[in-house]
Amino acid sequence: MLILTRRVGESIIIETPAGERIEVTVLAVKGSQVRIGTQAPEDVRIVREELLARADKADQGLRHGKLGS
């Protein structure tokens, strides 16, 4: 894991092997919360970790014939 320190208004750039660039910018810091903004090509999916885990769990349920929960 790469660990970086950024201030409000500063960004990091992630470049994919295909040459696409994803920019992550620190917009605000309020207590223990950090607000970030992202810019990426439209075909790049950016999802919060907890929502991705929930979607993966739902997909598994659909594959096993279970709905919802």
Side-chain angles (χ1 to χ4, degrees), residues 2-68:
L2 174 64
I3 300 173
L4 301 169
T5 301
R6 301 278 72 205
R7 291 187 171 95
V8 172
E10 295 181 334
S11 301
I12 63 167
I13 303 293
I14 302 165
E15 192 168 320
T16 69
E20 295 177 308
R21 295 172 67 134
I22 301 165
E23 182 176 357
V24 180
T25 303
V26 178
L27 301 177
V29 177
K30 188 175 185 180
S32 63
Q33 291 186 328
V34 178
R35 175 170 260 176
I36 61 169
T38 58
Q39 286 188 323
E42 288 187 23
D43 63 334
V44 174
R45 185 173 149 194
I46 300 175
V47 182
R48 292 187 342 227
E49 181 181 27
E50 66 274 15
L51 297 181
L52 185 61
R54 190 179 309 158
D56 287 345
K57 186 175 181 181
D59 288 346
Q60 285 179 343
L62 289 175
R63 277 187 248 127
H64 296 307
K66 300 175 186 171
L67 296 176

